[in-house]
Amino acid sequence: MIELKNLSKSFVTADGTVEALKDISLSINDGEIFGIIGMSGSGKSTLVRCINMLEKPTQGSVYIDEKNIGTLSSKQLRAERRNISMIFQGFNLLMQRNCLKNVLFPLELEGLKGEKAKQKARELLQVVGLADKEKVYPAQLSGGQKQRIAIARAIATNPRVLLCDEATSALDPQTTHSILSLIKEINQKLGITVVVITHQMSVVEEICDKVAILDNGEVVECGKVSDIFSSPKSKAAKQLVFPEGEQNILPRKENEHHIRVVFNGAVAAKTPFIANLAKNKGIAASILSASTKSIGKKAYGNILLEINADKTKIKEVTDYLNEFEDIFVEEVE
Amino acid sequence: MFDSESFQSAWQIIKTEIPLAIWETFYVTVLSTFFAIIIGLPLGVLIVAGDNGRVLKIPKLILKAIDVIINLLRSVPFLILMIVVFPLTRLIVGTVVGTAASVVPLVIAAFPFVARLVESSLREIDPNIIETAQSMGATPFQIVIKVMIPESVPSLISNATIAITTVLGYSAMSGIIGGGGLGKIAINYGYYRYQYLVMIFAVLFLILLVQIFQSLGTFLSKKFDKRLKQN
């Protein structure tokens, strides 16, 4: 269990004090994959660095399994950090060590040496699917392979928590997918609590159970991924869920209305409601944008419709669509 | 100057004196660089590790003192420095003339230079890698021994090469006040006795030594750099 209580962090710069985090309280349960998402500069990296005290919070406290991390001595903190591993956007492998020795590094820090350590490192290389790269140096690996080595290194000390700081942001979509699957697999097999920091909603959708949305140093929304994805309330959440935005759609004439239809479940996604609209109501709707995804085992998504009709007709449409279960309809201004 | 008689006498000198001189220059250079690294490497590490308390918490005053001492020693011209450290040389070696005696001023001239070179090598390390080691619970000592130094080995080797060729140049200069080696031959025969041919030969051998050190250094630096794709 990770608990952040009233966490604040400010930096003193030449232009004055910058408040990177403002009174953040969150709790992350054991075994969960918890996403923290926000735009650049929202403070998400600072937040994750506070969890292992790479950044000391200005105010508030961090509890991991009821232990207040902020009050530990530097020796105790070093011991605790072996329980809180971290992977990074830039992989941060030791470039002068081969893959096996990179995985051995955290074991060496613990004083574990020799054949026993090597055997453990080899097993970890197997887990991340790079057993054949033992003697290869990081410079010869692709980005995805580097992150796999970094993951093997991070779980070498059997940590309870894995922090992922933009771990897939430097990777292409396909590699991102494979790294996320690996993280999920490790989470399920080893029961490690995972905290995922990202700016990509797709990453959160793919692996997170819960998500907190960070905007300008504050948590503006927090909850189950499916809830936030189907009905984002805050402005920041809307921007992340509907990145195409409302503004870059062509200017509308008087009787052109835009309606967003949000699905929240597989049944709704299978209903041919656009056809029904035309057939039963005689209303032709054109699709401006659409995206549907499956999260967990349910399908979610949203479609943006353009309908050329007057106000009363539009009311009829929204009423009709709102009758379906798991569908939310709103007119976009 | 190049008639057969002077050529004969020059050749005689070259034959009898040069082999020993090469050896003297070689061992003075290597020994002095070695000691300079022993003193300079820890200083360079302290400067970088203590910077902003990133790795080690060192009092600012001590860091400043190291900085000032290094700058001070580096700003004294080598010839003057040799004379200034005579008392120290006498204390350590027992004499101020001779090949062994020149090691003391060479070390004192070279270690501040080495410290600066080490500093620049260590500053090249990606700070994220140090942060990663910290996130794994590495102690400051482990960060220095297992991350900072091994990660900058290629750069340290090429900077050690710069140090050794600079020391070689200084060692030749020490010939003026009693140091041995190729510098002494060039000055004593070439400058004081107008045996230019001897001087030219001494200089040629100095050039050769620099070439050898430099090529070896470049070779080793590349060999140890695992960032370069090989096999």
PDB file of all heavy atoms in Angstrom, chain A residues 39-69:
ATOM      1  N   MET A  39      -0.240  16.133 -18.767  1.00  0.00           N
ATOM      2  CA  MET A  39       0.529  16.739 -19.851  1.00  0.00           C
ATOM      3  C   MET A  39       1.944  17.057 -19.341  1.00  0.00           C
ATOM      4  O   MET A  39       2.192  17.000 -18.144  1.00  0.00           O
ATOM      5  CB  MET A  39      -0.133  18.039 -20.313  1.00  0.00           C
ATOM      6  CG  MET A  39      -1.579  17.886 -20.706  1.00  0.00           C
ATOM      7  SD  MET A  39      -1.702  17.013 -22.269  1.00  0.00           S
ATOM      8  CE  MET A  39      -3.465  17.044 -22.520  1.00  0.00           C
ATOM      9  N   SER A  40       2.830  17.446 -20.244  1.00  0.00           N
ATOM     10  CA  SER A  40       4.166  17.869 -19.824  1.00  0.00           C
ATOM     11  C   SER A  40       4.029  19.022 -18.842  1.00  0.00           C
ATOM     12  O   SER A  40       3.212  19.912 -19.038  1.00  0.00           O
ATOM     13  CB  SER A  40       4.976  18.344 -21.018  1.00  0.00           C
ATOM     14  OG  SER A  40       4.965  17.384 -22.016  1.00  0.00           O
ATOM     15  N   GLY A  41       4.834  18.972 -17.801  1.00  0.00           N
ATOM     16  CA  GLY A  41       4.829  20.065 -16.840  1.00  0.00           C
ATOM     17  C   GLY A  41       3.720  19.972 -15.814  1.00  0.00           C
ATOM     18  O   GLY A  41       3.528  20.883 -15.015  1.00  0.00           O
ATOM     19  N   SER A  42       2.967  18.855 -15.828  1.00  0.00           N
ATOM     20  CA  SER A  42       1.893  18.730 -14.847  1.00  0.00           C
ATOM     21  C   SER A  42       2.418  18.276 -13.490  1.00  0.00           C
ATOM     22  O   SER A  42       1.686  18.277 -12.515  1.00  0.00           O
ATOM     23  CB  SER A  42       0.842  17.744 -15.349  1.00  0.00           C
ATOM     24  OG  SER A  42       1.439  16.483 -15.554  1.00  0.00           O
ATOM     25  N   GLY A  43       3.673  17.849 -13.442  1.00  0.00           N
ATOM     26  CA  GLY A  43       4.284  17.467 -12.164  1.00  0.00           C
ATOM     27  C   GLY A  43       4.321  15.976 -11.924  1.00  0.00           C
ATOM     28  O   GLY A  43       4.680  15.525 -10.853  1.00  0.00           O
ATOM     29  N   LYS A  44       3.981  15.187 -12.968  1.00  0.00           N
ATOM     30  CA  LYS A  44       3.899  13.742 -12.736  1.00  0.00           C
ATOM     31  C   LYS A  44       5.257  13.098 -12.444  1.00  0.00           C
ATOM     32  O   LYS A  44       5.338  12.212 -11.597  1.00  0.00           O
ATOM     33  CB  LYS A  44       3.188  13.043 -13.907  1.00  0.00           C
ATOM     34  CG  LYS A  44       3.777  13.320 -15.273  1.00  0.00           C
ATOM     35  CD  LYS A  44       2.840  12.832 -16.358  1.00  0.00           C
ATOM     36  CE  LYS A  44       3.457  12.884 -17.732  1.00  0.00           C
ATOM     37  NZ  LYS A  44       3.943  14.225 -18.149  1.00  0.00           N
ATOM     38  N   SER A  45       6.303  13.568 -13.118  1.00  0.00           N
ATOM     39  CA  SER A  45       7.625  12.991 -12.848  1.00  0.00           C
ATOM     40  C   SER A  45       8.112  13.356 -11.447  1.00  0.00           C
ATOM     41  O   SER A  45       8.728  12.539 -10.763  1.00  0.00           O
ATOM     42  CB  SER A  45       8.644  13.464 -13.888  1.00  0.00           C
ATOM     43  OG  SER A  45       8.588  12.627 -15.009  1.00  0.00           O
ATOM     44  N   THR A  46       7.828  14.590 -11.033  1.00  0.00           N
ATOM     45  CA  THR A  46       8.185  15.008  -9.678  1.00  0.00           C
ATOM     46  C   THR A  46       7.452  14.131  -8.673  1.00  0.00           C
ATOM     47  O   THR A  46       8.023  13.694  -7.680  1.00  0.00           O
ATOM     48  CB  THR A  46       7.802  16.483  -9.460  1.00  0.00           C
ATOM     49  OG1 THR A  46       8.323  17.240 -10.536  1.00  0.00           O
ATOM     50  CG2 THR A  46       8.343  17.012  -8.153  1.00  0.00           C
ATOM     51  N   LEU A  47       6.184  13.854  -8.965  1.00  0.00           N
ATOM     52  CA  LEU A  47       5.370  13.048  -8.055  1.00  0.00           C
ATOM     53  C   LEU A  47       5.966  11.652  -7.880  1.00  0.00           C
ATOM     54  O   LEU A  47       6.123  11.170  -6.755  1.00  0.00           O
ATOM     55  CB  LEU A  47       3.934  12.961  -8.588  1.00  0.00           C
ATOM     56  CG  LEU A  47       2.947  12.143  -7.749  1.00  0.00           C
ATOM     57  CD1 LEU A  47       2.835  12.716  -6.354  1.00  0.00           C
ATOM     58  CD2 LEU A  47       1.579  12.124  -8.405  1.00  0.00           C
ATOM     59  N   VAL A  48       6.338  11.017  -8.990  1.00  0.00           N
ATOM     60  CA  VAL A  48       6.854   9.652  -8.870  1.00  0.00           C
ATOM     61  C   VAL A  48       8.212   9.653  -8.176  1.00  0.00           C
ATOM     62  O   VAL A  48       8.547   8.734  -7.435  1.00  0.00           O
ATOM     63  CB  VAL A  48       6.893   8.929 -10.240  1.00  0.00           C
ATOM     64  CG1 VAL A  48       8.067   9.348 -11.080  1.00  0.00           C
ATOM     65  CG2 VAL A  48       6.907   7.430 -10.052  1.00  0.00           C
ATOM     66  N   ARG A  49       8.981  10.737  -8.380  1.00  0.00           N
ATOM     67  CA  ARG A  49      10.279  10.830  -7.711  1.00  0.00           C
ATOM     68  C   ARG A  49      10.148  11.050  -6.206  1.00  0.00           C
ATOM     69  O   ARG A  49      11.079  10.800  -5.461  1.00  0.00           O
ATOM     70  CB  ARG A  49      11.116  11.944  -8.334  1.00  0.00           C
ATOM     71  CG  ARG A  49      11.795  11.494  -9.582  1.00  0.00           C
ATOM     72  CD  ARG A  49      12.517  12.603 -10.293  1.00  0.00           C
ATOM     73  NE  ARG A  49      13.448  12.045 -11.252  1.00  0.00           N
ATOM     74  CZ  ARG A  49      13.078  11.381 -12.345  1.00  0.00           C
ATOM     75  NH1 ARG A  49      11.805  11.206 -12.611  1.00  0.00           N
ATOM     76  NH2 ARG A  49      13.984  10.883 -13.157  1.00  0.00           N
ATOM     77  N   CYS A  50       8.991  11.558  -5.803  1.00  0.00           N
ATOM     78  CA  CYS A  50       8.755  11.719  -4.368  1.00  0.00           C
ATOM     79  C   CYS A  50       8.490  10.371  -3.702  1.00  0.00           C
ATOM     80  O   CYS A  50       8.748  10.206  -2.517  1.00  0.00           O
ATOM     81  CB  CYS A  50       7.576  12.654  -4.104  1.00  0.00           C
ATOM     82  SG  CYS A  50       7.979  14.388  -4.340  1.00  0.00           S
ATOM     83  N   ILE A  51       7.982   9.408  -4.478  1.00  0.00           N
ATOM     84  CA  ILE A  51       7.642   8.113  -3.882  1.00  0.00           C
ATOM     85  C   ILE A  51       8.906   7.401  -3.386  1.00  0.00           C
ATOM     86  O   ILE A  51       8.882   6.755  -2.360  1.00  0.00           O
ATOM     87  CB  ILE A  51       6.837   7.235  -4.871  1.00  0.00           C
ATOM     88  CG1 ILE A  51       5.502   7.922  -5.203  1.00  0.00           C
ATOM     89  CG2 ILE A  51       6.585   5.838  -4.296  1.00  0.00           C
ATOM     90  CD1 ILE A  51       4.632   7.181  -6.201  1.00  0.00           C
ATOM     91  N   ASN A  52      10.033   7.527  -4.132  1.00  0.00           N
ATOM     92  CA  ASN A  52      11.261   6.922  -3.606  1.00  0.00           C
ATOM     93  C   ASN A  52      12.252   7.970  -3.095  1.00  0.00           C
ATOM     94  O   ASN A  52      13.433   7.701  -2.938  1.00  0.00           O
ATOM     95  CB  ASN A  52      11.912   5.993  -4.635  1.00  0.00           C
ATOM     96  CG  ASN A  52      12.308   6.704  -5.897  1.00  0.00           C
ATOM     97  OD1 ASN A  52      12.178   7.921  -5.998  1.00  0.00           O
ATOM     98  ND2 ASN A  52      12.805   5.970  -6.868  1.00  0.00           N
ATOM     99  N   MET A  53      11.747   9.176  -2.879  1.00  0.00           N
ATOM    100  CA  MET A  53      12.535  10.239  -2.243  1.00  0.00           C
ATOM    101  C   MET A  53      13.752  10.667  -3.062  1.00  0.00           C
ATOM    102  O   MET A  53      14.724  11.169  -2.519  1.00  0.00           O
ATOM    103  CB  MET A  53      13.009   9.826  -0.839  1.00  0.00           C
ATOM    104  CG  MET A  53      11.888   9.714   0.162  1.00  0.00           C
ATOM    105  SD  MET A  53      11.228  11.310   0.670  1.00  0.00           S
ATOM    106  CE  MET A  53       9.498  10.900   0.867  1.00  0.00           C
ATOM    107  N   LEU A  54      13.683  10.449  -4.403  1.00  0.00           N
ATOM    108  CA  LEU A  54      14.717  11.066  -5.234  1.00  0.00           C
ATOM    109  C   LEU A  54      14.501  12.581  -5.182  1.00  0.00           C
ATOM    110  O   LEU A  54      15.414  13.370  -5.354  1.00  0.00           O
ATOM    111  CB  LEU A  54      14.644  10.560  -6.675  1.00  0.00           C
ATOM    112  CG  LEU A  54      15.230   9.182  -6.951  1.00  0.00           C
ATOM    113  CD1 LEU A  54      15.016   8.784  -8.395  1.00  0.00           C
ATOM    114  CD2 LEU A  54      16.694   9.096  -6.592  1.00  0.00           C
ATOM    115  N   GLU A  55      13.244  12.963  -4.978  1.00  0.00           N
ATOM    116  CA  GLU A  55      12.903  14.353  -4.655  1.00  0.00           C
ATOM    117  C   GLU A  55      12.305  14.349  -3.258  1.00  0.00           C
ATOM    118  O   GLU A  55      11.415  13.545  -2.970  1.00  0.00           O
ATOM    119  CB  GLU A  55      11.832  14.895  -5.621  1.00  0.00           C
ATOM    120  CG  GLU A  55      12.238  14.984  -7.052  1.00  0.00           C
ATOM    121  CD  GLU A  55      13.039  16.229  -7.380  1.00  0.00           C
ATOM    122  OE1 GLU A  55      13.352  17.010  -6.444  1.00  0.00           O
ATOM    123  OE2 GLU A  55      13.356  16.405  -8.564  1.00  0.00           O
ATOM    124  N   LYS A  56      12.806  15.234  -2.416  1.00  0.00           N
ATOM    125  CA  LYS A  56      12.222  15.329  -1.078  1.00  0.00           C
ATOM    126  C   LYS A  56      11.027  16.275  -1.140  1.00  0.00           C
ATOM    127  O   LYS A  56      11.166  17.419  -1.580  1.00  0.00           O
ATOM    128  CB  LYS A  56      13.259  15.893  -0.092  1.00  0.00           C
ATOM    129  CG  LYS A  56      14.520  15.049  -0.002  1.00  0.00           C
ATOM    130  CD  LYS A  56      14.519  14.157   1.231  1.00  0.00           C
ATOM    131  CE  LYS A  56      15.823  13.406   1.369  1.00  0.00           C
ATOM    132  NZ  LYS A  56      15.740  11.994   1.023  1.00  0.00           N
ATOM    133  N   PRO A  57       9.844  15.809  -0.723  1.00  0.00           N
ATOM    134  CA  PRO A  57       8.670  16.690  -0.746  1.00  0.00           C
ATOM    135  C   PRO A  57       8.878  17.880   0.202  1.00  0.00           C
ATOM    136  O   PRO A  57       9.537  17.732   1.234  1.00  0.00           O
ATOM    137  CB  PRO A  57       7.539  15.807  -0.243  1.00  0.00           C
ATOM    138  CG  PRO A  57       8.077  14.452  -0.056  1.00  0.00           C
ATOM    139  CD  PRO A  57       9.549  14.478  -0.202  1.00  0.00           C
ATOM    140  N   THR A  58       8.338  19.025  -0.187  1.00  0.00           N
ATOM    141  CA  THR A  58       8.427  20.190   0.679  1.00  0.00           C
ATOM    142  C   THR A  58       7.513  20.011   1.888  1.00  0.00           C
ATOM    143  O   THR A  58       7.838  20.413   2.991  1.00  0.00           O
ATOM    144  CB  THR A  58       8.027  21.465  -0.092  1.00  0.00           C
ATOM    145  OG1 THR A  58       8.536  21.365  -1.423  1.00  0.00           O
ATOM    146  CG2 THR A  58       8.576  22.704   0.558  1.00  0.00           C
ATOM    147  N   GLN A  59       6.354  19.413   1.610  1.00  0.00           N
ATOM    148  CA  GLN A  59       5.395  19.161   2.679  1.00  0.00           C
ATOM    149  C   GLN A  59       4.693  17.833   2.439  1.00  0.00           C
ATOM    150  O   GLN A  59       4.678  17.334   1.323  1.00  0.00           O
ATOM    151  CB  GLN A  59       4.341  20.276   2.717  1.00  0.00           C
ATOM    152  CG  GLN A  59       4.591  21.253   3.838  1.00  0.00           C
ATOM    153  CD  GLN A  59       3.751  22.500   3.679  1.00  0.00           C
ATOM    154  OE1 GLN A  59       2.731  22.493   2.975  1.00  0.00           O
ATOM    155  NE2 GLN A  59       4.179  23.569   4.317  1.00  0.00           N
ATOM    156  N   GLY A  60       4.114  17.287   3.489  1.00  0.00           N
ATOM    157  CA  GLY A  60       3.366  16.044   3.343  1.00  0.00           C
ATOM    158  C   GLY A  60       4.260  14.838   3.497  1.00  0.00           C
ATOM    159  O   GLY A  60       5.465  14.968   3.691  1.00  0.00           O
ATOM    160  N   SER A  61       3.649  13.647   3.396  1.00  0.00           N
ATOM    161  CA  SER A  61       4.449  12.459   3.622  1.00  0.00           C
ATOM    162  C   SER A  61       4.054  11.321   2.685  1.00  0.00           C
ATOM    163  O   SER A  61       2.973  11.312   2.100  1.00  0.00           O
ATOM    164  CB  SER A  61       4.334  12.010   5.079  1.00  0.00           C
ATOM    165  OG  SER A  61       3.028  12.218   5.540  1.00  0.00           O
ATOM    166  N   VAL A  62       5.001  10.388   2.565  1.00  0.00           N
ATOM    167  CA  VAL A  62       4.805   9.208   1.727  1.00  0.00           C
ATOM    168  C   VAL A  62       4.910   7.989   2.633  1.00  0.00           C
ATOM    169  O   VAL A  62       5.906   7.825   3.339  1.00  0.00           O
ATOM    170  CB  VAL A  62       5.898   9.119   0.640  1.00  0.00           C
ATOM    171  CG1 VAL A  62       5.719   7.849  -0.193  1.00  0.00           C
ATOM    172  CG2 VAL A  62       5.866  10.348  -0.254  1.00  0.00           C
ATOM    173  N   TYR A  63       3.865   7.172   2.638  1.00  0.00           N
ATOM    174  CA  TYR A  63       3.903   5.931   3.417  1.00  0.00           C
ATOM    175  C   TYR A  63       3.913   4.762   2.470  1.00  0.00           C
ATOM    176  O   TYR A  63       3.102   4.691   1.551  1.00  0.00           O
ATOM    177  CB  TYR A  63       2.669   5.819   4.314  1.00  0.00           C
ATOM    178  CG  TYR A  63       2.646   6.813   5.451  1.00  0.00           C
ATOM    179  CD1 TYR A  63       2.110   8.085   5.270  1.00  0.00           C
ATOM    180  CD2 TYR A  63       3.161   6.472   6.700  1.00  0.00           C
ATOM    181  CE1 TYR A  63       2.094   9.008   6.306  1.00  0.00           C
ATOM    182  CE2 TYR A  63       3.147   7.380   7.743  1.00  0.00           C
ATOM    183  CZ  TYR A  63       2.610   8.636   7.550  1.00  0.00           C
ATOM    184  OH  TYR A  63       2.606   9.532   8.568  1.00  0.00           O
ATOM    185  N   ILE A  64       4.861   3.842   2.693  1.00  0.00           N
ATOM    186  CA  ILE A  64       4.833   2.592   1.947  1.00  0.00           C
ATOM    187  C   ILE A  64       4.703   1.487   2.973  1.00  0.00           C
ATOM    188  O   ILE A  64       5.555   1.344   3.860  1.00  0.00           O
ATOM    189  CB  ILE A  64       6.084   2.428   1.066  1.00  0.00           C
ATOM    190  CG1 ILE A  64       6.050   3.513  -0.023  1.00  0.00           C
ATOM    191  CG2 ILE A  64       6.122   1.035   0.435  1.00  0.00           C
ATOM    192  CD1 ILE A  64       7.171   3.477  -0.988  1.00  0.00           C
ATOM    193  N   ASP A  65       3.631   0.715   2.882  1.00  0.00           N
ATOM    194  CA  ASP A  65       3.297  -0.286   3.902  1.00  0.00           C
ATOM    195  C   ASP A  65       3.401   0.318   5.307  1.00  0.00           C
ATOM    196  O   ASP A  65       4.089  -0.214   6.180  1.00  0.00           O
ATOM    197  CB  ASP A  65       4.209  -1.516   3.769  1.00  0.00           C
ATOM    198  CG  ASP A  65       3.974  -2.219   2.447  1.00  0.00           C
ATOM    199  OD1 ASP A  65       2.868  -2.078   1.888  1.00  0.00           O
ATOM    200  OD2 ASP A  65       4.896  -2.899   1.968  1.00  0.00           O
ATOM    201  N   GLU A  66       2.766   1.428   5.479  1.00  0.00           N
ATOM    202  CA  GLU A  66       2.690   2.146   6.756  1.00  0.00           C
ATOM    203  C   GLU A  66       4.032   2.658   7.283  1.00  0.00           C
ATOM    204  O   GLU A  66       4.140   3.057   8.440  1.00  0.00           O
ATOM    205  CB  GLU A  66       1.993   1.280   7.826  1.00  0.00           C
ATOM    206  CG  GLU A  66       0.475   1.477   7.818  1.00  0.00           C
ATOM    207  CD  GLU A  66      -0.264   0.161   7.900  1.00  0.00           C
ATOM    208  OE1 GLU A  66       0.034  -0.607   8.807  1.00  0.00           O
ATOM    209  OE2 GLU A  66      -1.125  -0.075   7.031  1.00  0.00           O
ATOM    210  N   LYS A  67       5.049   2.636   6.436  1.00  0.00           N
ATOM    211  CA  LYS A  67       6.339   3.167   6.861  1.00  0.00           C
ATOM    212  C   LYS A  67       6.504   4.551   6.242  1.00  0.00           C
ATOM    213  O   LYS A  67       6.355   4.699   5.017  1.00  0.00           O
ATOM    214  CB  LYS A  67       7.449   2.235   6.370  1.00  0.00           C
ATOM    215  CG  LYS A  67       8.746   2.375   7.159  1.00  0.00           C
ATOM    216  CD  LYS A  67       9.862   1.580   6.490  1.00  0.00           C
ATOM    217  CE  LYS A  67       9.778   0.086   6.769  1.00  0.00           C
ATOM    218  NZ  LYS A  67      10.824  -0.670   6.032  1.00  0.00           N
ATOM    219  N   ASN A  68       6.775   5.531   7.069  1.00  0.00           N
ATOM    220  CA  ASN A  68       6.950   6.893   6.553  1.00  0.00           C
ATOM    221  C   ASN A  68       8.340   7.028   5.937  1.00  0.00           C
ATOM    222  O   ASN A  68       9.351   7.085   6.628  1.00  0.00           O
ATOM    223  CB  ASN A  68       6.764   7.898   7.687  1.00  0.00           C
ATOM    224  CG  ASN A  68       6.737   9.335   7.165  1.00  0.00           C
ATOM    225  OD1 ASN A  68       7.220   9.626   6.070  1.00  0.00           O
ATOM    226  ND2 ASN A  68       6.166  10.228   7.951  1.00  0.00           N
ATOM    227  N   ILE A  69       8.378   7.083   4.587  1.00  0.00           N
ATOM    228  CA  ILE A  69       9.652   7.055   3.869  1.00  0.00           C
ATOM    229  C   ILE A  69      10.467   8.325   4.132  1.00  0.00           C
ATOM    230  O   ILE A  69      11.698   8.306   4.161  1.00  0.00           O
ATOM    231  CB  ILE A  69       9.406   6.914   2.343  1.00  0.00           C
ATOM    232  CG1 ILE A  69       8.570   5.681   2.050  1.00  0.00           C
ATOM    233  CG2 ILE A  69      10.698   6.840   1.565  1.00  0.00           C
ATOM    234  CD1 ILE A  69       9.229   4.372   2.373  1.00  0.00           C
TER     235      ILE A  69
END
